[in-house]
Amino acid sequence: MTSNPIGAVHEGRSFRLFQRDDLALLGVLLLAALLLGVSTLGSRPQQPLDFDLDSAADNGLAGLNLWLRALGYEVRHSGGLQFVLPAEADLLFVYPNQLSYTAAEAGALRHWVVRGGTLVLVGPQPQDVELARIFGVRVTPASYSASQEQTQPLVPEGQANYSLDWSMSDTVLDITEAPSAVSVLRTPSGAAMLAMQQVGRGIVWHAAPAAAWTNFGLREQDQGQLLPPILRSVPAGGIVVFDTFHQFGLSRMGEQIFTLQDWLYRTPAGWATLFAFVALACFVLLQGRRLGPPVATQAERRKREAAEYVEAMAALTRRARLGAGVALHQQRRLKRGLAQRRPLDPNLADSDFVARLAAGDPPLSVQQVDEVRQLLAALQQGPNEQQMVLLAAQIDTLLSRRTV
């Protein structure tokens, strides 16, 4: 036995495992499987990102996510190829972003707040000028402060002073250009850490990065006491959205790409690669096919007649020496056909079966009983092929009579 690249030869005959035209499709499938495997193994960066909704690190938001879900709120994220804020959203969290808001996105966000939405804005980043422009609140550097005091009685059961460090950022809020913003939590020097702003029918909560309800803040600094005032304007079971599009969304110049999946999903070159693979896969699948009726490549062969199949089966039966089996089958068919309307056992011996058939109800005529006896006797004598055909025809005629 010898082998070739695409098949094998055995006893002078070639068995082709697959066609040459399938090699391109096989290559595309293997490459796609490799890309998916690499993407799965490295789908997340090794170091946790700040304010990651699923991160259990100190600077993650897994605690806030689980807390909101436990309170009955529906938590969503706005990741994707473009920023879309659900119209049915009740509360939106915006954390320090990699991508800056455009003027159109900032205007749409303010319009959503004016119509009654509640926004929690952490920061914003200094480069996010559009958010700072439409709400008038910015972040500025600050020196270390050991405690911050509550200036508004929004949380009567909460503490008067909170211990906050600068583990996330040494910045505070500048609300001088936002006359409608009211400081809720501030340092002894008067710098705001948490502020509330009425915009239309909605509310904007401004928070410094150090008071952003991270896992560390909820666990060590009792920042959870500052969350009930925010949820008062959110209906029970409402929809809470985290803006992960601007936070970890489409990559732009100077931003990090951690994995192959990030490169494929978040860069124009990655999009082009995905589209090229899709187009190549469609081409390979359609290769060799045409629109319209198929073109015949061989002359249509004459179809076999039914008699040829009968002759072939008869020849096989003859070679296998199954004549006795055919005779036994016809004998059983005759007995079962006669016993259908009578309380008879078709497994009885031929003599006993004929005797009970003659005395059965409904009775058969003497001529019919003799005919049955003769048929059973003839089947016991080992008939040849021609005799078997005649006996089968007599059995069919007998069973088809109404009197039987």
Side-chain angles (χ1 to χ4, degrees):
M1 182 177 69
T2 60
S3 61
N4 56 42
I6 61 172
V9 178
H10 180 65
E11 295 182 355
R13 300 184 64 183
S14 175
F15 298 91
R16 191 172 296 276
L17 300 179
F18 44 82
Q19 302 294 329
R20 293 183 183 274
D21 295 340
D22 297 335
L23 291 176
L25 177 59
L26 181 61
V28 171
L29 293 178
L30 291 177
L31 183 58
L34 178 61
L35 291 176
L36 290 176
V38 173
S39 176
T40 303
L41 293 177
S43 60
R44 298 184 66 84
Q46 296 181 354
Q47 297 296 330
L49 301 177
D50 293 344
F51 307 118
D52 188 352
L53 192 60
D54 299 319
S55 175
D58 287 346
N59 56 354
L61 301 177
L64 178 59
N65 183 13
L66 295 175
W67 193 2
L68 291 172
R69 294 179 185 274
L71 292 175
Y73 295 98
E74 181 181 349
V75 179
R76 302 181 185 177
H77 60 84
S78 62
L81 297 180
Q82 59 182 354
F83 175 67
V84 178
L85 179 59
E88 65 274 15
D90 301 300
L91 174 61
L92 174 66
F93 282 88
V94 177
Y95 280 85
N97 301 319
Q98 292 185 9
L99 305 184
S100 301
Y101 271 75
T102 64
E105 292 172 344
L109 180 60
R110 189 180 190 283
H111 179 67
W112 174 80
V113 175
V114 169
R115 290 180 0 188
T118 301
L119 171 65
V120 177
L121 179 58
V122 180
Q125 292 287 78
Q127 65 269 21
D128 214 335
V129 295
E130 290 298 330
L131 291 181
R133 179 183 62 82
I134 63 173
F135 295 116
V137 178
R138 293 174 173 80
V139 292
T140 59
S143 58
Y144 179 81
S145 178
S147 63
Q148 287 75 36
E149 60 180 355
Q150 183 181 166
T151 58
Q152 298 293 332
L154 296 177
V155 189
E157 65 277 11
Q159 302 176 13
N161 294 277
Y162 291 86
S163 176
L164 300 176
D165 60 17
W166 308 120
S167 58
M168 302 298 298
S169 175
D170 54 348
T171 56
V172 294
L173 299 177
D174 181 6
I175 60 175
T176 56
E177 297 183 10
S180 59
V182 178
S183 176
V184 177
L185 191 68
R186 67 184 181 185
T187 65
S189 62
M193 293 290 297
L194 183 67
M196 183 186 70
Q197 182 182 22
Q198 185 78 32
V199 180
R201 293 183 299 170
I203 299 175
V204 180
W205 293 87
H206 300 273
W213 301 278
T214 60
N215 298 328
F216 177 80
L218 295 176
R219 183 180 65 249
E220 303 292 340
Q221 300 175 343
D222 296 327
Q223 292 182 11
Q225 298 179 5
L226 302 175
L227 194 60
I230 297 176
L231 298 178
R232 287 172 187 167
S233 58
V234 180
I239 299 176
V240 180
V241 179
F242 286 80
D243 182 8
T244 54
F245 171 81
H246 292 93
Q247 189 177 0
F248 310 116
L250 303 176
S251 177
R252 293 181 181 175
M253 186 64 65
E255 297 171 356
Q256 289 181 306
I257 295 296
F258 294 99
T259 64
L260 176 62
Q261 185 179 20
D262 291 341
W263 182 81
L264 287 174
Y265 291 172
R266 298 161 58 184
T267 63
W271 298 348
T273 302
L274 290 177
F275 288 139
F277 276 120
V278 172
L280 179 61
C282 293
F283 171 77
V284 172
L285 291 176
L286 296 176
Q287 188 179 14
R289 300 184 181 182
R290 63 186 297 276
L291 299 177
V295 178
T297 57
Q298 295 181 355
E300 186 179 2
R301 295 183 178 181
R302 183 181 63 84
K303 296 182 179 180
R304 292 187 177 182
E305 298 180 357
E308 295 184 33
Y309 290 97
V310 175
E311 293 177 359
M313 293 301 298
L316 291 175
T317 303
R318 188 184 307 113
R319 291 180 182 180
R321 298 180 180 179
L322 298 178
V326 176
L328 180 60
H329 168 72
Q330 295 296 334
Q331 180 189 27
R332 291 177 179 174
R333 189 167 71 91
L334 174 60
K335 287 184 177 182
R336 289 174 181 174
L338 294 173
Q340 285 183 353
R341 298 177 55 190
R342 297 169 179 82
L344 294 178
D345 183 6
N347 296 322
L348 292 174
D350 292 349
S351 58
D352 295 338
F353 183 83
V354 174
R356 295 195 179 186
L357 185 63
D361 184 23
L364 293 179
S365 64
V366 177
Q367 181 181 0
Q368 291 175 338
V369 173
D370 292 337
E371 186 177 358
V372 172
R373 184 182 296 109
Q374 294 174 5
L375 287 174
L376 293 175
L379 291 172
Q380 290 288 348
Q381 296 175 0
N384 56 30
E385 295 178 6
Q386 185 176 4
Q387 293 172 344
M388 184 62 68
V389 172
L390 295 177
L391 291 174
Q394 293 179 15
I395 293 174
D396 291 337
T397 304
L398 178 63
L399 295 179
S400 63
R401 295 174 185 172
R402 288 190 176 184
T403 56
V404 176

